[in-house]
Amino acid sequence: NAGVTQTPKFRILKIGQSMTLQCTQDMNHNYMYWYRQDPGMGLKLIYYSVGAGITDKGEVPNGYNVSRSTTEDFPLRLELAAPSQTSVYFCASSPGFSNQPQHFGDGTRLSIL
Amino acid sequence: QKEVEQNSGPLSVPEGAIASLNCTYSDRGSQSFFWYRQYSGKSPELIMSIYSNGDKEDGRFTAQLNKASQYVSLLIRDSQPSDSATYLCAVNALSTGNQFYFGTGTSLTVIP
């Protein structure tokens, strides 16, 4: 019973590099989310998806892209990494009904140098 | 205006005391309210959910919701050092579909 799995757990990138943060869930949840958490700043929504093939922007989408080709996977793509994208990234999923909570992965700690 | 606001703390209580954490929200149409606990360096972990006005108890935790005043609180009875963490309030805002808005969290330290 893995829940939400994120890879990698840690990564250091150079400015201008690109990478994909992977997220997969085995709970058959329709909704998936990507957040970033900066120190003392709470969680900010980057993108979310309500089902395969459907994605939408959250509060801070600039510099990121997502895709949702399957129910299980929701990768987050960083293009042209910038120091401002140094953060901890959390992927979450939920069944999709408003009264159901989100379940979080363990996070990816990303540093851009 | 922030969707969800919490006092950042830090809040310190002695072991065995009651810790009280508060959260206010701006969207009157909000229907679902959640409390998450986040240990340093870890991911948020759901500890309570509440949907109706009043109190909901689960072990040492009690969530309180007052929709008229737009606040939700979390009481931790008989606080333990293991309760030391940051507590995040999350609200589902109907105005933005199924987006969840999180407060910045309240840091709680339980002193042995």
Side-chain angles (χ1 to χ4, degrees):
Chain A
N1 186 13
V4 180
T5 302
Q6 291 183 238
T7 57
K9 294 190 183 304
F10 304 95
R11 185 72 183 268
I12 298 174
L13 282 182
K14 293 182 179 180
I15 294 172
Q17 288 185 321
S18 301
M19 77 163 294
T20 299
L21 281 64
Q22 302 291 344
C23 175
T24 187
Q25 53 94 8
D26 62 1
M27 296 175 283
N28 200 33
H29 285 171
N30 289 321
Y31 284 57
M32 296 186 74
Y33 310 80
W34 274 106
Y35 294 92
R36 60 177 288 172
Q37 186 176 38
D38 300 326
M41 296 299 291
L43 293 161
K44 293 190 182 296
L45 182 65
I46 305 171
Y47 271 96
Y48 69 103
S49 169
V50 301
I54 306 171
T55 63
D56 208 347
K57 296 178 180 179
E59 184 181 359
V60 290
N62 291 342
Y64 307 94
N65 279 299
V66 294
S67 60
R68 184 95 181 270
S69 57
T70 66
T71 299
E72 294 78 18
D73 300 308
F74 191 40
L76 177 71
R77 178 82 176 165
L78 277 73
E79 304 282 2
L80 298 176
S84 61
Q85 293 177 304
T86 294
S87 190
V88 181
Y89 292 84
F90 289 105
C91 179
S93 71
S94 74
F97 302 105
S98 63
N99 63 346
Q100 296 299 309
Q102 298 180 340
H103 301 264
F104 286 83
D106 290 338
T108 294
R109 191 174 298 272
L110 181 63
S111 295
I112 315 295
L113 303 176
Chain B
Q1 181 184 6
K2 291 184 179 179
E3 297 281 347
V4 180
E5 296 203 40
Q6 296 180 251
N7 288 328
S8 61
L11 174 65
S12 295
V13 299
E15 184 175 354
I18 296 175
S20 177
L21 308 165
N22 299 311
C23 170
T24 60
Y25 60 94
S26 61
D27 189 331
R28 283 194 170 275
S30 299
Q31 291 187 321
S32 305
F33 308 86
F34 307 94
W35 282 100
Y36 286 83
R37 176 176 63 200
Q38 187 175 26
Y39 292 115
S40 180
K42 300 296 186 181
S43 61
E45 169 194 14
L46 179 73
I47 54 172
M48 289 287 287
S49 58
I50 187 166
Y51 311 105
S52 304
N53 280 329
D55 295 359
K56 179 181 178 182
E57 186 174 318
D58 184 1
R60 296 185 296 110
F61 298 98
T62 299
Q64 300 175 318
L65 175 60
N66 184 323
K67 290 186 178 181
S69 299
Q70 294 177 247
Y71 83 79
V72 57
S73 62
L74 180 70
L75 300 178
I76 306 175
R77 292 183 301 281
D78 188 25
S79 296
Q80 301 296 308
S82 59
D83 295 326
S84 298
T86 295
Y87 289 80
L88 302 171
C89 172
V91 176
N92 177 266
L94 284 185
S95 62
T96 53
N98 272 309
Q99 286 195 37
F100 288 75
Y101 286 90
F102 285 81
T104 55
T106 298
S107 176
L108 171 67
T109 299
V110 180
I111 303 168

